[in-house]
Amino acid sequence: MDDLARSLTPAPARAPSAETRFADAFRGWRLLADAHRRGEDDLTGLDPWAARCLSRLAAREPAWPAAVHGTTLAHADLRADNLLLTHDRVVVVDWPWACTAAPWFDLLLFLPSVRMQGGPPCEPLFAAHPLARDADPDAVTTALVAWAGFLIRQGRQPAPPGLPTLRDFQTAQGVAALEWLRTRTRWQ
């Protein structure tokens, strides 16, 4: 990922910014809070920590665009099934969500998937990664708030036609993202 970010900064191809690409998507906590206020979602099944912190999460979420702003071409959907291993390298495939973002954006989006599949906790992996070295800790936490909110809210939606396992996959990633977010915020 370090090599990928280094070779894709500045972005060698035109792509929308992460702010543009995910403007309608990274609103999960605000949408959940609004639905709860309207009586349309009683938050059943929502992680108890997330339910307690919902107003704080919703309040922080709108700052994510500035947090992820950057000139690196990001894949924005890295996970095991978008990585091909050859005898000497990793090939990243399936780029429909490509956008420009901070160099650490792909790493942040990727780590909950690693954790969900039995990998180690996200925070130590992120902290030890070269891409995290210069990352603003508040920006990372804010971006993680938005990513976790997206995953958690999407996991609560009905499955789209033809994709019966998508919501379970998003929920599992959301659980891993929440675990990571609790360690970064230390909110009670």
Side-chain angles (χ1 to χ4, degrees), residues 24-168:
D24 292 331
F26 285 7
R27 303 174 24 182
W29 298 122
R30 289 172 283 168
L31 292 171
L32 274 173
D34 289 347
H36 183 63
R37 273 192 294 278
R38 290 190 308 269
E40 297 168 5
D41 190 331
D42 64 4
L43 306 181
T44 297
L46 184 63
D47 175 270
W49 178 86
R52 281 192 314 276
C53 296
L54 183 57
S55 63
R56 292 172 85 176
L57 293 163
R60 184 150 185 187
E61 189 176 53
W64 77 265
V68 304
H69 182 76
T71 61
T72 299
L73 182 64
H75 183 277
D77 193 25
L78 288 180
R79 48 179 208 266
D81 59 332
N82 286 336
L83 301 173
L84 301 177
L85 305 178
T86 72
H87 69 281
D88 64 343
R89 66 188 193 139
V90 177
V91 178
V92 179
V93 299
D94 195 12
W95 287 75
W97 297 104
C99 59
T100 57
W104 46 263
F105 186 67
D106 270 338
L107 180 62
L108 181 126
L109 272 54
F110 180 62
L111 289 179
S113 177
V114 171
R115 178 68 169 155
M116 167 198 86
Q117 294 179 326
C122 300
E123 182 61 25
L125 285 178
F126 188 84
H129 200 282
L131 291 172
R133 187 171 317 138
D134 297 324
D136 176 312
D138 286 337
V140 171
T141 301
T142 298
L144 183 56
V145 165
W147 180 230
F150 168 78
L151 292 168
I152 294 297
R153 181 175 180 279
Q154 289 302 106
R156 296 170 67 81
Q157 303 306 302
L163 296 170
T165 62
L166 176 63
R167 300 308 185 206
D168 289 341

